[in-house]
């Protein structure tokens, strides 16, 4: 890409499969009645196989999340090259120490409604971990290697004449196939799509908005179809359902209709105004309606320009993004929209406006929510190309599968307005040498061919190598993972005229845990296998948040960042990869339970300036530290504040440029601990008090308190309420060091789903109704049934006044 000629990428948006009200098309989710068993059952694909003794499960399903945790599971003896390691050592919790390895079978039966010889039936998998082999009525339909991808088969010719169809799916996860917890099983949705032979192809609709002004938007819709003598009618509806435009066409080129439709006075999609339109596509033969689909989309423009950066709808902005792994903490990788919505709600409050799917292809549910809630999205494809990071990773399939995997990713997701970039890889060892350059160019051209409207990036950690080889120069978007000292040199050497922080920070911390003395440093380890929440600890290759803030704020050619990570995830317990027990990450801004760490408020103070943030750390229960230096930090969007300890002023601190930390934090480094109250008073520019916050030393734990993120659920058997459980003293002060064992019971029209305390060293199983508090808190997940009514959660603990909360499902 020439630095003189800007890349211009236009808007485009979401594909959301929906079934017609009439009988032209039916979509059935195969979620119930699945039979499941682990092990090598060689005859499980046969029609008459007896699965009556198998476990009955619902899909989406993750078989490994139920544990138990075991250090021997996928124990990898390796040197993690990305971390700069030279010598191989034993890694015990790298993939979460959960039993994901092995073979398993899923079986189900279905009938096809209204089936006749003029119908076509598609079997769609939105993700299967991994290497699925699919059988129908005793015959192999097909297979797919990549566990993170969407794929489908036309099963019309495999259907049984008597209407009763037996579906069997074989999955296999081998050891050393991942470097984080991948999950296991049919962890995303399985769907049956029944339509006429004359119909719109699967993922056949492609919506773009190539020209947008305040008065008019040109909506271009390409629709691939199967059949003869077809015509198309497309109606565009606004968010209220009102029709705003219509176009009819009989002009077909090959098997594709192309329509340009004018939308007057368009409402533009952005994180601040995530407005969605709907295109209703109807296929006719004569006057007979043969097929109908709906496609939600947004109208927006994106542009990347040298020395200027990224623009959305003509306005320059920087990505305030986070990276997210695909697991959902205590429920594993089984996709759940309520869990995803909670994550995004927490991130929205922090001021986050962008997500990077790391290092996997995203779920459709995640993209739908990002469209709806307003998040820009960097959709990633691979963590490996031809050269391995782990012995049995994607490198086994790259040469044969990479193109079809990219094609399915793009076709399945390209209509989502949230997606503004593709990523073809992350920290691939192929960054060295000419072969890697060729692979990068080849993959990028596949993305361009399938979607000419969005740029492509790669998360590059070997920046020196990519400067020398030309790898970084050919990318649409040069993405740097860490390597802050190389930003200036990369900007000068790469021709694009901007740099993306595709992965930043990798600061480590444990919620509510503080270590002394308070000193900034890399690779710090402690006997309890926790990391300090003073947010000054990081890894050998990474840094603290403030270092990235400086570049983001001072360099207009740095177009934003994606912080590693928004939430803790299962596996990769750096800096304790070699220690047991340690089975999940410390990188999260929020912990594995979704509870915010102190770092949440540091990012919020910068990313969400309209919210008044005033957060004090550490807690103030330090029995045995009386008289010892216990620094106090305040994360706030105010420029200055005064700190008081038991009414005595510790002085006023004002943000300044002495160090990156002084620029973004208020720090009182010489405070001596004494029990009582610490209070911070924020000051405006005139020195006037405008807000205050305080923390009190808690007495003995007395009572259990419950607070739900949602008190009304949908009675669909899948919806979740996340109930934060904490312990307070008799004066209602939180007890930040409480570690009591608690027990949970759910009555009424709901069930206990899981619990999580955010402790990366805990070996308690999530699905059992008991768990210890960690730093005074944990979270309980309550799941609805398919019956509406009242739900009650009760939490008890020895020596504590119990807690109860009532929920409702409708």
């Amino acid at each position: 890409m020439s630095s003189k000629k800007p890349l211009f990428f236009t808007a485009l948006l979401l594909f959301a499969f929906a079934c017609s009200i009439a009988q032209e098309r039916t979509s059935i989710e195969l979620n119930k009645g699945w039979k499941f068993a682990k092990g090598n059952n060689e005859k499980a694909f046969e029609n008459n196989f007896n699965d009556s003794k198998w476990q009955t499960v619902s899909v989406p399903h993750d078989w490994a999340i139920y544990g138990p945790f075991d250090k021997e599971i996928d124990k990898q003896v390796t040197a993690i090259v990305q971390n700069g390691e030279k010598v191989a050592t034993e890694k015990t919790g790298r993939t979460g120490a959960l039993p994901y390895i092995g073979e398993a079978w899923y079986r189900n039966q279905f009938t096809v409604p209204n089936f006749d010889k003029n119908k076509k039936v598609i079997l769609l998998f939105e993700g299967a971990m991994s290497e699925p082999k699919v059988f129908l009525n005793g015959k192999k339909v097909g297979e797919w290697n990549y566990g993170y991808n969407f794929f489908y088969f036309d099963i019309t010719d495999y259907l049984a004449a008597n209407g009763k169809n037996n579906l069997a799916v074989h999955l296999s996860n081998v050891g050393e196939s991942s470097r984080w917890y991948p999950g296991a099983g049919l962890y995303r949705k399985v769907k049956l799509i029944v339509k006429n032979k004359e119909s719109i192809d699967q993922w056949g609709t492609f919506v773009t908005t190539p020209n947008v002004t305040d008065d008019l938007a040109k909506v271009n819709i390409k629709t691939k179809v199967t059949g003869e003598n077809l015509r198309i009618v497309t109606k565009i509806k606004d968010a209220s359902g009102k029709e705003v435009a219509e176009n009819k066409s009989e002009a077909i080129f090959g098997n594709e209709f192309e329509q340009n439709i004018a939308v007057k006075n368009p409402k533009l999609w952005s994180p601040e105004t995530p407005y969605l339109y709907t295109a209703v596509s109807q296929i006719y033969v004569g006057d007979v309606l043969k097929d109908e689909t709906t496609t939600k989309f947004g109208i927006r423009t994106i542009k990347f320009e040298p020395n200027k950066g990224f623009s959305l709808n003509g306005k320059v902005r920087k990505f305030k993004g986070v990276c997210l792994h695909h697991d959902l903490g205590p429920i594993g990788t089984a996709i759940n929209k309520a869990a995803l919505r909670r994550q995004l709600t927490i991130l929205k409050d922090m001021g986050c406006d962008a997500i990077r799917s790391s290092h996997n292809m995203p779920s459709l549910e995640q993209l739908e929510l990002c469209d709806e809630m307003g998040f820009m999205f960097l959709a990633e494809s691979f963590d490996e190309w031809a050269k391995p990071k782990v012995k049995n990773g994607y490198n086994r399939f790259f040469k044969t599968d990479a193109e079809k995997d990219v094609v399915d990713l793009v076709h399945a997701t390209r209509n989502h307005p949230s997606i503004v970039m593709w990523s073809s890889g992350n920290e691939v060892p192929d960054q060295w040498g000419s072969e890697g350059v060729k692979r990068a160019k080849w993959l990028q051209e596949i993305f361009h061919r399938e979607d000419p409207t969005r740029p492509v990036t790669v998360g590059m950690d070997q920046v020196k190598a990519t400067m020398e080889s030309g790898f970084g120069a050919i990318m649409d978007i040069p993405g740097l993972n860490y390597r802050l000292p190389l930003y200036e040199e990369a900007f000068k050497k790469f021709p694009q005229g901007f740099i993306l922080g595709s992965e930043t920070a990798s600061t480590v911390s444990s919620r509510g845990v503080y270590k002394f003395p308070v000193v900034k440093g890399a690779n710090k380890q402690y006997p309890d296998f926790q990391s300090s929440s003073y947010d000054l600890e990081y890894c050998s290759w990474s840094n603290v948040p403030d270092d990235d803030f400086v570049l983001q704020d001072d360099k207009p050619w740095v177009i934003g960042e994606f912080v590693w990570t928004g939430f803790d995830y299962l596996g990769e317990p750096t800096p304790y990869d070699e220690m047991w027990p340690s089975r999940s990450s410390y990188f999260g801004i929020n912990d594995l339970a979704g509870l915010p760490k102190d770092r949440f408020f540091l990012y919020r103070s910068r990313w969400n300036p309209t919210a008044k943030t005033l957060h004090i750390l550490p807690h103030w229960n330090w029995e045995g530290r009386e008289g010892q230096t216990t620094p106090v930090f305040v994360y706030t969007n105010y420029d200055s504040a005064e700190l008081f300890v038991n009414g005595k002023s510790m002085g006023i601190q004002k943000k300044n440029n002495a160090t990156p930390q002084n620029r973004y934090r208020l720090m009182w480094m010489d405070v001596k601990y004494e029990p009582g109250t610490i209070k911070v008073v924020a000051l405006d520019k005139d020195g006037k008090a405008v807000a205050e916050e305080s923390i009190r030393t808690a007495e003995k734990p007395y009572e259990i308190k419950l607070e739900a993120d949602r008190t009304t659920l949908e009675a669909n058997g899948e919806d979740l309420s996340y109930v934060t459980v904490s312990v307070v003293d008799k004066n209602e002060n939180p007890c930040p060091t409480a570690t009591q064992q608690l027990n949970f019971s759910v009555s009424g029209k709901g069930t206990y789903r899981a619990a999580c305390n955010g402790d990366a060293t805990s070996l308690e199983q999530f699905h059992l109704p008991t768990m210890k508090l960690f730093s005074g808190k944990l979270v309980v997940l309550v799941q609805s049934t398919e019956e509406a009514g009242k739900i009650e959660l009760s939490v008890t603990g020895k020596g504590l006044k119990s807690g109860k909360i009532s929920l409702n499902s409708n």
Side-chain angles (χ1 to χ4, degrees), residues 65-66 69 330 583 704 725 739-746 751-759 762-774 777-781 793-798 800:
I65 194 60
Y66 302 98
F69 295 100
R583 47 67 171 157
I704 297 169
V725 179
T739 58
Q740 283 89 340
Q741 190 80 34
L742 303 183
N743 301 300
F744 323 118
S745 63
V746 177
T751 59
Y752 170 77
R753 179 67 177 85
C756 185
N757 60 14
D759 180 2
S762 172
L763 301 183
E764 294 183 275
Q765 291 167 261
F766 302 122
H767 68 288
L768 299 180
T770 181
M771 187 167 284
K772 280 186 176 181
L773 292 159
F774 178 65
K777 290 185 178 182
L778 55 78
V779 172
V780 173
L781 285 65
L793 167 66
S794 177
V795 182
T796 59
K798 188 176 180 180
L800 296 169

Side-chain angles (χ1 to χ4, degrees), residues 675-688:
T677 301
I678 55 173
K679 182 175 74 171
V680 65
V681 178
L683 308 173
D684 65 14
K685 293 181 180 180
D686 297 322
K688 181 181 177 182

Side-chain angles (χ1 to χ4, degrees), residues 714-715 749 785-791 808-810:
E714 187 178 346
K749 307 303 182 183
T785 64
E786 294 186 347
E787 250 184 291
K790 185 178 179 181
I791 307 168
N808 285 291
S809 67
N810 299 323

Side-chain angles (χ1 to χ4, degrees), residues 171-185:
L171 297 171
S172 177
N173 287 331
V174 297
E176 296 185 70
S177 58
S178 183
R179 59 188 185 93
W180 59 81
Y181 176 66

Side-chain angles (χ1 to χ4, degrees), residues 600-719:
F600 173 94
F601 299 96
L602 179 59
Y603 282 98
R604 188 177 191 262
S605 69
R606 181 172 174 272
W607 281 0
N608 191 356
T610 60
K612 302 305 180 185
T613 299
L614 189 60
H615 176 76
I616 310 172
L617 63 125
H619 63 70
W620 212 240
N621 271 63
W622 295 107
E623 185 177 356
R625 284 193 62 80
E626 289 80 4
Q628 295 185 47
T629 300
T630 307
V632 174
F633 288 8
V634 170
Y635 298 157
T636 181
N637 53 350
Y638 297 102
D639 285 333
S640 63
E642 186 171 9
L643 178 70
F644 298 87
V645 177
N646 293 327
K648 182 181 178 181
S649 176
M650 298 291 108
I652 295 173
Q653 290 287 344
K654 184 176 177 62
K655 293 176 184 176
N656 60 73
N657 292 330
T659 69
Q661 281 67 54
N662 290 104
R663 185 169 170 178
Y664 298 101
R665 317 181 192 200
L666 300 177
M667 301 179 292
W668 289 261
M669 299 302 295
D670 299 323
V671 177
K672 301 294 191 293
Y673 174 69
E674 57 182 71
T677 301
I678 55 173
K679 182 175 74 171
V680 65
V681 178
L683 308 173
D684 65 14
K685 293 181 180 180
D686 297 322
K688 181 181 177 182
V690 289
E692 67 176 58
E693 194 66 46
S694 60
I695 299 176
R696 294 174 181 82
T697 305
E699 297 179 21
K700 180 182 175 183
Y702 171 72
E703 183 178 4
I704 297 169
K705 289 288 187 181
L706 308 182
E707 183 179 0
D709 71 326
R710 299 163 64 226
T711 56
T712 301
L713 304 181
E714 187 178 346
N716 59 6
E718 301 173 357
D719 208 2

Side-chain angles (χ1 to χ4, degrees), residues 151-188:
F151 62 96
Y152 66 91
F153 302 114
D154 183 340
I155 60 170
T156 309
D157 295 338
Y158 295 86
L159 295 170
N162 64 6
K164 293 182 179 179
N165 296 283
N166 293 287
L167 174 63
V169 183
H170 175 264
L171 297 171
S172 177
N173 287 331
V174 297
E176 296 185 70
S177 58
S178 183
R179 59 188 185 93
W180 59 81
Y181 176 66
L186 295 176
Y187 71 105
R188 291 179 181 168

Side-chain angles (χ1 to χ4, degrees), residues 80-94:
I80 302 176
V81 176
Q82 306 97 278
N83 297 4
E85 295 180 2
K86 305 293 185 184
V87 179
T89 56
E90 180 180 290
K91 309 295 194 295
T92 51
R94 197 178 189 201

